[in-house]
Amino acid sequence: MAARLARRTFLAGAASAIAAPLLPGLAFAETPTDTKLHGLSAFGDLKYPADFTHFDYVNADAPKGGIFNFSPPNWFYNQSPLTFNTLNSFTAKGDAPPRMEMCFDSLMTGGMTGALDEPDAVYGLLAESVTLSDDRNTFEFALRPEAKFHDGTPLTAEDVAFTFNIYKDKGHPDLLLPLAQMTEAVAVDAHTLRLSFNGKQSARTILNVAGFPIVSKAYFEANSFDSANMKPPLGSGPYKVGRVSPGQTIEFERVADYWGRDLPVNRGLYNFDRIRIEFYQDRQAGFEAFKKGDVLYRQEFTARVWATGYDFPALNQGKVVKREFPAEKRPSMQATAINQRRERFRDRRVRLAINMCFDFEWTKRNLFYGSYDRSQSCFEKSDYRAEGMPSPEELALLEPLRGKIPDEAFGEAVVLPVSDGSGRDRKLLGAASKLLTEAGWKRSGQFLANDKGESLSVELLVDDEGWIRIASPWIENMKAIGIDASIRSVDSAQYGARQAEFDFDLIVMAVSFDATPTRESLEGIFHSRSATLPGSRNLPGTADPGIDALVEAAGTATDRETLTTALRALDRVLRARQDWIPSWYLANHRAAFWDMFGYKEPKPDFGFPVEAMWWFDKDKAAAIGKA
């Protein structure tokens, strides 16, 4: 789940403990090993019984048909909303179009179409059931014999075993890292898969990997897995690749004879005959396409446009709906990464000084139209956000790390400085200058330099012109205290390559975690294991034993209270280290769409995949001339 500047990505995982049907409240360690489970959940019961017919938040009788042309608000793996040069979404190479995952099935529902009204549950898709070994290190999945690929060939356990093995060897970091402790993926027979781990994995690992897209062994034995090309891989899901114009447009066509269309986990979903994505390098060009009706749905991420731009004929005539939907109840982070692979950023005082130059209060009033709130946490909008002094339970995790983590982690949770809103707060800039002096940076002409004569240069890498407007005052404040600061705007392909290779000083990432974050999703951003892995989301290069220990503590949590304690402790240390500078967040989704769709309300609490849940309404479309 590849996040780039100002882009929103989802770290798909699932839960951390298994609850057997009809056996309330069982922890993972107590789950019986002779029971075939139809679903997996963390810290509690599954909402839906084995004989459920559909999820409550869908319209099980939704009509099929129509087209949904939209601008994706989130994406996974190596995907990009600005361009694409490959149709393989599961490797770190290239930029793939969003929603390629809709062409593939998984063992259990995962990603954006899991059980979206539960915080951490998945249910069988390719797998009818899963059975645990006594030591909880081996899992046997019974596959549905009717599963097949789009060419009519059967999808077997051989394909599933091949998938996990090739992901572990050559997959995107979001797929590779969770499989680090996997020792074996074996087809016992055509419809039985055995996954084995070495005992070092998190209890949640299995629930993460159960949602991975399954690929065809035959296809990738005949075609290179880790090459970027425009040949659509063979899939098995509700959609397949249709018309493609590289870098410009992709259409996904609904598979009319999709083998899994009547499964309870799919009923009421995947209703559009075609899902179309058009790629615009410029945000304004994309907005103009929406105003004309070439794009039918968009979520608005530019405060200025939301406040002033939605005044055009179609909206004024009632053909376009502008409204807000509640955000998901899941932790999120939008923050600027400071790349500590570069020596000048390894001193925490330098990172603090860079942070102090950003005047959020001025930016909110002058550029955001008052619409955003300042983020403080790496787990914003959740119970995992640290507040006040550490609890005794948090201190029990932090004390063994004293001397290895910043002392600030033992006091009040670190909050970002509040400016006077002038745009150039002299007090804050003076404090930032003092920190840089203490760190050994002295004036040498216009800019600061160290004892080696190297200037303190800072470049913010962007691929969206909208960020130049937002970040320019920040850059000017850095220049005012002697930092040689600049913004570098590059095209999407170059941006993706530089991010994957960690070739930047500062870069912004936005990410949404699961309601119950997995160790694997945390490792991919914060753990030393991902610091040198090309394509990972550990953009600052965090490699700290204290952080690693807290990630491990979160990964081994056996109940929600313990998990919350571990994540709050982790949040305290991350905020004290200043590897990431949290930026801002919005409480709701700002959405606009042509009034030609049906949807069920209220939306589910833990996901908002409109392209999967909504449907084409012929009467509404006719009323606005879009039939």
Side-chain angles (χ1 to χ4, degrees):
M1 323 139 209
R4 298 186 179 167
L5 179 65
R7 300 184 182 178
R8 292 140 295 280
T9 195
F10 280 78
L11 293 182
S16 76
I18 294 182
L22 306 180
L23 294 170
L26 290 181
F28 183 81
E30 298 172 317
T31 302
T33 56
D34 57 353
T35 300
K36 291 186 175 182
L37 307 172
H38 75 285
L40 309 176
S41 179
F43 314 142
D45 300 329
L46 292 166
K47 174 180 177 179
Y48 296 96
D51 60 351
F52 83 105
T53 59
H54 60 84
F55 293 128
D56 290 344
Y57 52 84
V58 304
N59 175 6
D61 300 316
K64 307 294 185 184
I67 184 172
F68 190 72
N69 186 334
F70 80 125
S71 299
N74 51 59
W75 41 93
F76 301 83
Y77 313 124
N78 68 345
Q79 297 170 1
S80 166
L82 298 182
T83 189
F84 65 99
N85 49 38
T86 180
L87 294 179
N88 182 357
S89 192
F90 311 129
T91 176
K93 294 184 179 180
D95 293 300
R99 301 306 176 262
M100 281 300 301
E101 70 279 357
M102 297 181 77
C103 299
F104 300 86
D105 286 316
S106 53
L107 287 172
M108 312 193 83
T109 54
M112 68 177 186
T113 54
L116 302 180
D117 54 352
E118 297 179 79
D120 39 36
V122 293
Y123 294 86
L125 201 169
L126 284 170
E128 282 186 310
S129 65
V130 57
T131 305
L132 286 67
S133 66
D134 289 339
D135 62 5
R136 273 70 179 175
N137 291 329
T138 297
F139 306 83
E140 282 202 352
F141 291 89
L143 306 187
R144 301 182 193 273
E146 65 269 31
K148 63 180 180 179
F149 289 104
H150 294 151
D151 64 355
T153 58
L155 190 161
T156 72
E158 287 284 348
D159 297 293
V160 185
F162 171 85
T163 296
F164 288 121
N165 286 318
I166 202 166
Y167 284 169
K168 181 175 180 177
D169 183 32
K170 298 180 178 180
H172 186 276
D174 291 341
L175 301 165
L176 183 155
L177 284 171
L179 296 171
Q181 310 305 330
M182 185 187 80
T183 58
E184 188 178 55
V186 175
V188 178
D189 57 42
H191 304 302
T192 307
L193 172 82
R194 185 172 64 238
L195 282 181
S196 298
F197 296 83
N198 60 16
K200 298 179 181 179
Q201 78 283 359
S202 165
R204 281 169 281 183
T205 298
I206 188 60
L207 306 181
N208 191 344
V209 304
F212 284 179
I214 302 303
V215 300
S216 164
K217 177 181 179 181
Y219 176 86
F220 279 114
E221 284 184 336
N223 298 273
S224 174
F225 177 80
D226 55 355
S227 66
N229 63 70
M230 296 301 297
K231 184 178 180 181
L234 178 62
S236 62
Y239 286 91
K240 62 181 178 181
V241 174
R243 189 167 71 88
V244 173
S245 177
Q248 299 180 23
T249 306
I250 187 168
E251 286 190 357
F252 298 101
E253 299 176 352
R254 185 170 62 84
V255 179
D257 62 347
Y258 169 46
W259 74 270
R261 62 187 179 277
D262 295 322
L263 293 177
V265 294
N266 288 331
R267 194 166 293 132
L269 294 168
Y270 312 119
N271 302 310
F272 295 105
D273 280 347
R274 288 184 295 154
I275 294 176
R276 179 182 174 93
I277 302 172
E278 296 178 0
F279 294 76
Y280 297 92
Q281 293 281 344
D282 180 75
R283 287 193 188 192
Q284 188 60 37
F287 183 49
E288 293 300 323
F290 172 74
K291 288 161 65 174
K292 292 187 297 182
D294 294 337
V295 173
L296 302 173
Y297 176 94
R298 65 182 271 124
Q299 288 189 40
E300 185 57 66
F301 297 100
T302 304
R304 174 183 55 83
V305 174
W306 187 253
T308 65
Y310 283 81
D311 183 15
F312 52 91
L315 188 139
N316 296 330
Q317 295 164 8
K319 295 181 179 180
V320 170
V321 177
K322 177 192 178 191
R323 62 166 291 185
E324 295 188 7
F325 292 90
E328 284 69 69
K329 297 178 179 179
R330 52 198 299 169
S332 64
M333 178 181 80
Q334 179 169 298
T336 302
I338 304 177
N339 189 359
Q340 294 167 55
R341 299 171 186 85
R342 300 187 170 174
E343 185 177 355
R344 61 188 180 276
F345 301 128
R346 292 174 189 164
D347 192 312
R348 177 174 173 271
R349 293 169 294 188
V350 173
R351 303 196 296 271
L352 282 169
I354 291 171
N355 181 358
M356 288 179 174
C357 292
F358 179 66
D359 192 328
F360 174 77
E361 286 66 35
W362 183 91
T363 303
K364 179 177 181 178
R365 186 178 69 251
N366 291 278
L367 302 180
F368 290 164
Y369 295 81
S371 61
Y372 290 103
D373 292 315
R374 187 71 191 265
S375 293
Q376 299 290 345
S377 168
C378 294
F379 306 110
E380 198 59 67
K381 300 189 294 184
S382 77
D383 291 339
Y384 309 132
R385 169 177 160 157
E387 300 282 357
M389 296 293 294
S391 67
E393 293 78 14
E394 291 172 58
L395 285 173
L397 294 174
L398 295 171
E399 283 294 349
L401 305 175
R402 192 178 284 275
K404 301 177 182 178
I405 59 177
D407 291 341
E408 288 81 359
F410 295 91
E412 293 277 344
V414 171
V415 296
L416 298 175
V418 178
S419 77
D420 61 11
S422 65
R424 185 161 292 191
D425 187 319
R426 292 181 179 273
K427 183 178 179 180
L428 281 178
L429 294 182
S433 293
K434 183 178 179 181
L435 285 170
L436 293 176
T437 299
E438 292 173 356
W441 296 93
K442 300 177 182 179
R443 281 279 182 175
S444 177
Q446 183 180 358
F447 298 114
L448 297 168
N450 60 17
D451 292 340
K452 300 177 183 178
E454 300 166 333
S455 65
L456 180 54
S457 61
V458 173
E459 180 184 87
L460 174 66
L461 186 67
V462 306
D463 67 347
D464 187 322
E465 293 297 319
W467 275 89
I468 296 178
R469 172 174 169 267
I470 294 171
S472 290
W474 187 16
I475 297 298
E476 292 305 312
N477 278 345
M478 283 192 267
K479 287 182 177 179
I481 63 171
I483 299 175
D484 184 8
S486 61
I487 303 176
R488 174 66 61 88
S489 180
V490 298
D491 63 49
S492 182
Q494 184 179 354
Y495 183 95
R498 288 187 59 174
Q499 176 182 287
E501 296 164 4
F502 309 122
D503 182 16
F504 55 83
D505 293 342
L506 270 63
I507 197 169
V508 178
M509 183 178 79
V511 65
S512 179
F513 295 91
D514 278 335
T516 306
T518 65
R519 182 174 70 182
E520 291 73 30
S521 63
L522 298 171
E523 285 180 349
I525 301 179
F526 306 122
H527 199 283
S528 59
R529 191 172 291 123
S530 60
T532 59
L533 182 62
S536 85
R537 292 183 223 296
N538 189 342
L539 301 183
T542 304
D544 182 276
I547 295 289
D548 291 352
L550 293 171
V551 169
E552 294 295 331
T556 56
T558 56
D559 57 68
R560 190 169 297 280
E561 183 179 359
T562 305
L563 175 65
T564 300
T565 296
L567 290 177
R568 286 177 179 172
L570 175 61
D571 190 38
R572 288 181 185 279
V573 180
L574 290 169
R575 289 158 67 174
R577 281 182 53 89
Q578 297 278 298
D579 296 353
W580 297 89
I581 302 174
S583 51
W584 51 83
Y585 69 93
L586 194 65
N588 297 312
H589 294 290
R590 296 183 299 211
F593 50 93
W594 285 73
D595 192 12
M596 52 191 292
F597 306 114
Y599 50 92
K600 189 173 181 178
E601 295 196 88
K603 64 171 284 294
D605 286 337
F606 301 103
F608 193 41
V610 294
E611 66 275 26
M613 296 191 304
W614 288 16
W615 62 91
F616 177 71
D617 188 313
K618 291 183 179 180
D619 293 337
K620 285 185 175 182
I624 64 171
K626 284 280 190 178

